[in-house]
Amino acid sequence: MLDNDEHLIAQARINPNAFGKIYDQHVDRIYRYTYRLLLDEAWAQDITAVTFEKALRHIQSYEWQGKSVLAWLYRIARNEAISQQRKRKWLTPWKRTITTEMRFTETAVLQDQRRQEIHQALQQLSAKEREVIQLRYFEALTGEEVAEVLDCSTNNAYVRLHRALKKLQIELEAMGVTGEISYEL
């Protein structure tokens, strides 16, 4: 994939219309990330649009370092979301909304209850701790990509993740939640 990323970047530098391939390949993941981060559909759409607009504007100065272009896009989205949150001077609470399409079988109810417990425990963590868990497990980024998004070393990203997961486990235990936890939320 990295070779493909390098090729797409090179094409987009020559012809801005080629940037559409980068957009098509990554827009859904960036949107899901911003939605989970902000929990607001319109705001997530705006941040996603701004992310790709900034990426296109800065494609000429992007230095290929053999890393995924997706991590670069996540970083732009993260920075834009933080910037917008500061401008609005309020933080969106971490919550889970139930859609009308959800099946109310016993399994679905139990899974939703477990998700709510995890999200409630996540609320007790700092924003930085939630973010590292979100990037690694919800966005399924590699440790190296998480490190790139957070602008730290890979080892530091793993240390942050380990500490955040330890705190999450403590919060879940304090709530009386036991058993194996699935991070596929």
Side-chain angles (χ1 to χ4, degrees):
M1 176 159 215
L2 293 180
D3 291 336
N4 187 38
D5 283 350
E6 184 176 21
H7 178 72
L8 290 175
I9 293 290
Q11 282 184 325
R13 283 186 174 145
I14 296 167
N15 178 4
N17 291 331
F19 186 80
K21 291 179 184 176
I22 294 171
Y23 177 86
D24 291 341
Q25 199 171 55
H26 301 298
V27 67
D28 291 336
R29 287 188 73 178
I30 297 299
Y31 172 77
R32 281 193 312 271
Y33 170 68
T34 57
Y35 179 78
R36 282 188 178 136
L37 191 63
L38 305 168
L39 296 173
D40 182 286
E41 192 173 317
W43 199 7
Q45 289 172 350
D46 290 346
I47 298 297
T48 300
V50 169
T51 297
F52 284 96
E53 183 226 340
K54 285 186 174 186
L56 178 59
R57 234 184 349 196
H58 294 97
I59 196 82
Q60 296 299 329
S61 61
Y62 177 78
E63 291 184 34
W64 177 255
Q65 298 174 352
K67 298 178 182 177
S68 166
V69 72
L70 182 60
W72 179 55
L73 294 170
Y74 273 114
R75 183 138 185 213
I76 295 169
R78 174 183 183 260
N79 290 341
E80 188 61 28
I82 289 169
S83 174
Q84 290 299 318
Q85 284 178 327
R86 284 183 185 145
K87 286 179 185 175
R88 293 179 186 210
K89 295 192 189 247
W90 58 273
L91 294 175
T92 304
W94 190 276
K95 64 181 179 181
R96 166 106 165 98
T97 56
I98 299 174
T99 65
T100 57
E101 301 159 351
M102 182 180 287
R103 288 189 226 157
F104 287 102
T105 64
E106 184 177 348
T107 303
V109 170
L110 290 174
Q111 287 175 343
D112 191 58
Q113 179 182 358
R114 177 55 62 105
R115 284 186 194 104
Q116 288 178 11
E117 292 167 342
I118 291 171
H119 284 291
Q120 185 178 1
L122 281 167
Q123 283 182 330
Q124 304 308 311
L125 303 181
S126 72
K128 288 182 179 185
E129 292 163 339
R130 283 192 308 266
E131 182 177 38
V132 71
I133 291 171
Q134 178 184 358
L135 289 169
R136 180 64 182 100
Y137 293 104
F138 299 167
E139 302 305 324
L141 296 182
T142 66
E144 292 77 16
E145 290 170 328
V146 171
E148 190 172 335
V149 171
L150 298 178
D151 194 26
C152 65
S153 70
T154 302
N155 286 341
N156 185 268
Y158 281 118
V159 167
R160 287 183 191 183
L161 179 62
H162 175 75
R163 288 178 182 161
L165 289 173
K166 198 173 207 176
K167 280 188 171 181
L168 179 62
Q169 188 65 43
I170 290 168
E171 291 298 330
L172 288 167
E173 288 171 1
M175 293 169 52
V177 178
T178 59
E180 218 172 285
I181 299 167
S182 168
Y183 294 104
E184 300 299 321
L185 305 175

